[in-house]
Amino acid sequence: MADFDVCVIGGGPAGFAAAMRSWDFGRRVCLIEQARLGGAGVYEGALSSKTMWELSRDYRNATRRDRGFAAERVEVHFAAVAESVGQATATKTDQMARQLRELSSPRPGMPGSIQLVEGTARFLDPHTVEVLHVGALPSRITARHFIIATGSQPRTLPGIDVDGRTILTSDHIGCLDHFPRSLVILGAGVVGCEFATIFGNFGQTKVYLIDRAERILPFEDADIARLCARNLEERGVTVHHKARLIAMREVDGEVEYTIEHPTGGRETLRVEKALVSIGRVPSTAGLDLAKAGVEVRSCGHIEVEDTQTSVPHIHAVGDVTLDMALVSVGEIEGRHAAERICGADTPKLSYDNMPTIMFLDPEVAAIGLNEQDAQRSRIPYRVAVYDYDLVNRPIAMRATEGFVKLLVTPDEDMRILGMRALGVHASTMLEAVSFMMQHKRCARELAEVLHPHPAVTEGLQECVRMLLGTSIYKPHVFRNELRLSQIDYVDPEKAHS
């Protein structure tokens, strides 16, 4: 008989969710975690960085002088910021540990249990793992089913010595003991731009951002990238557009880097710290997956079909599959894997229309298609853009920078294809749009929904009303603030007939 019904390897968001859902089905669960409960989703990722972003935004607002008051001698200390971030992460891990303690033994009417095992796991065969413990002898654990949720780690580049002191990844930000005098960030994707926003908001660090593309956030529409880039530059961030990194190395306790500009000219600069932010790679190297028969691609991620690996009783969830490196996705996958293992009748996972938030300046909320995606795929659409200048809540907050953009099908159904919102409280619009898209509901239903007032969601409602021709403010009057248009494609064969 196996020691456990389900063994979950990894105690981050995906693994924790998988363990809890397995407990719901009354299973005996083993949760193996090598370092800290919560993993990168709490410490080096979503929670810690977003806490830092919130604090940076609070500090920036406190120093503003356009709100009818001016605070004097507003000071910021890195140690205090780090302590606040630590309190946030400790709150979450304490909650997780408390629940694990309570669920460690079966109770009357609740046969499930979860045993936390601290250590590093590697497969010995398809049903057995060996766990290496710090300062203790290894132990062996057998299980009927396994869920691999070991997450990911920052990707690095050959020739760049990431030492965690001068040249860092996002894993090392929590190790800083002061605001760097200057910082170069390699990579202008979401994470790189988020950290540029954070340090730019605090105003204590001169930030350089190396962007090899023509613009930051190249996967988003130009109007979104343009506004975010402008705000970064207003915070003192220097963006090296279309720049190619030639070299980066530690010199006398600082970082020297050389970039090549589009003209071919090369420039060498020296800064105090560097942050390498060029994506993440799955943490699968030490699992000995070959001994379990699990297929792994050359890039290191595990091949899955609806969370199931090439070995039917072994599932993989979260960043190890490289589906989408989001906490919400990992949690859903973890729950789904547990439900499949426990025989629940659950539909296949769908990754369509996954909502995301980018913690930039301003905040960006995204779901479904944007305009460049639709045009690249030659998908006809109608689009309405409603500027925050006309929405009462942003006006009241004195934060009117931003807009709501809604894409729908160009027919009577008006199904929502996607939405982008950037500005204060932009993320509050995601839930309604996600629900409408998931259930293939007509966008016109949002036109008459009773919204609280004032709320930024009224901007979304007015987008729908613009598409119906019933908006309160008219596009032909507010030409700079409102946009209403339709994109169609002509069939080449019909065009020449």
Side-chain angles (χ1 to χ4, degrees), residues 99-113:
Q99 178 143 294
L100 287 172
R101 288 194 299 270
E102 290 292 323
L103 304 183
S104 62
S105 301
R107 296 186 177 186
M110 295 182 290
S113 64

Side-chain angles (χ1 to χ4, degrees), residues 301-410:
H301 79 267
I302 299 174
E303 188 74 30
V304 294
E305 175 60 37
D306 202 32
T307 75
Q308 190 175 55
T309 72
S310 55
V311 180
H313 70 276
I314 301 178
H315 290 246
V317 299
D319 289 6
V320 292
T321 68
L322 282 188
D323 286 322
M324 296 180 73
L326 297 171
V327 168
S328 56
V329 173
E331 289 182 345
I332 289 172
E333 289 179 342
R335 292 172 61 86
H336 184 75
E339 290 166 357
R340 290 198 63 188
I341 286 171
C342 297
D345 183 15
T346 180
K348 184 176 180 178
L349 281 176
S350 172
Y351 297 92
D352 294 337
N353 307 321
M354 189 64 64
T356 61
I357 310 171
M358 290 171 268
F359 291 81
L360 309 175
D361 185 16
E363 172 184 322
V364 179
I367 185 171
L369 294 176
N370 58 28
E371 287 197 82
Q372 70 176 18
D373 289 338
Q375 292 178 18
R376 187 180 296 119
S377 300
R378 297 181 61 83
I379 298 173
Y381 65 91
R382 294 181 67 205
V383 59
V385 180
Y386 201 90
D387 201 281
Y388 262 39
D389 277 331
L390 302 179
V391 185
N392 284 11
R393 184 63 183 274
I395 292 173
M397 296 178 70
R398 312 311 301 139
T400 56
E401 192 173 56
F403 56 83
V404 188
K405 179 191 293 188
L406 187 67
L407 276 67
V408 302
T409 55

Side-chain angles (χ1 to χ4, degrees), residues 25-94:
F25 288 95
R27 298 303 195 263
R28 294 173 299 124
V29 182
C30 174
L31 177 61
I32 303 174
E33 171 54 45
Q34 69 172 354
R36 300 174 293 186
L37 277 174
V42 171
Y43 286 97
E44 293 90 19
L47 182 59
S48 60
S49 65
K50 276 52 178 181
T51 303
M52 204 170 182
W53 178 82
E54 293 284 1
L55 296 173
S56 76
R57 191 178 63 165
D58 289 347
Y59 173 76
R60 178 174 163 268
N61 283 335
T63 59
R64 288 176 60 176
R65 294 180 175 272
D66 60 347
R67 304 175 75 84
F69 62 88
E72 300 295 335
R73 294 188 298 275
V74 180
E75 297 181 351
V76 59
H77 303 283
F78 191 88
V81 171
E83 181 181 3
S84 187
V85 172
Q87 290 171 352
T89 58
T91 296
K92 181 52 60 178
T93 53
D94 287 349

Side-chain angles (χ1 to χ4, degrees), residues 58-202:
D58 289 347
Y59 173 76
R60 178 174 163 268
N61 283 335
T63 59
R64 288 176 60 176
R65 294 180 175 272
D66 60 347
R67 304 175 75 84
F69 62 88
E72 300 295 335
R73 294 188 298 275
V74 180
E75 297 181 351
V76 59
H77 303 283
F78 191 88
V81 171
E83 181 181 3
S84 187
V85 172
Q87 290 171 352
T89 58
T91 296
K92 181 52 60 178
T93 53
D94 287 349
Q95 293 168 355
M96 298 171 75
R98 174 185 173 186
Q99 178 143 294
L100 287 172
R101 288 194 299 270
E102 290 292 323
L103 304 183
S104 62
S105 301
R107 296 186 177 186
M110 295 182 290
S113 64
I114 304 177
Q115 180 178 333
L116 176 63
V117 175
E118 297 180 358
T120 303
R122 65 185 183 92
F123 280 94
L124 299 179
D125 61 53
H127 284 279
T128 310
V129 294
E130 180 182 61
V131 183
L132 303 177
H133 310 279
V134 176
L137 294 175
S139 60
R140 292 192 177 190
I141 291 172
T142 61
R144 294 173 57 207
H145 300 273
F146 287 88
I147 300 176
I148 301 169
T150 47
S152 62
Q153 58 198 21
R155 188 166 76 90
T156 57
L157 288 176
I160 298 180
D161 181 19
V162 176
D163 58 14
R165 299 184 304 276
T166 53
I167 302 180
L168 321 170
T169 68
S170 57
D171 283 0
H172 305 118
I173 292 295
C175 300
L176 291 173
D177 58 6
H178 67 284
F179 285 109
R181 180 184 67 260
S182 52
L183 171 72
V184 61
I185 300 176
L186 175 61
V190 174
V191 175
C193 288
E194 284 183 354
F195 278 112
T197 300
I198 289 168
F199 285 100
N201 280 345
F202 280 124

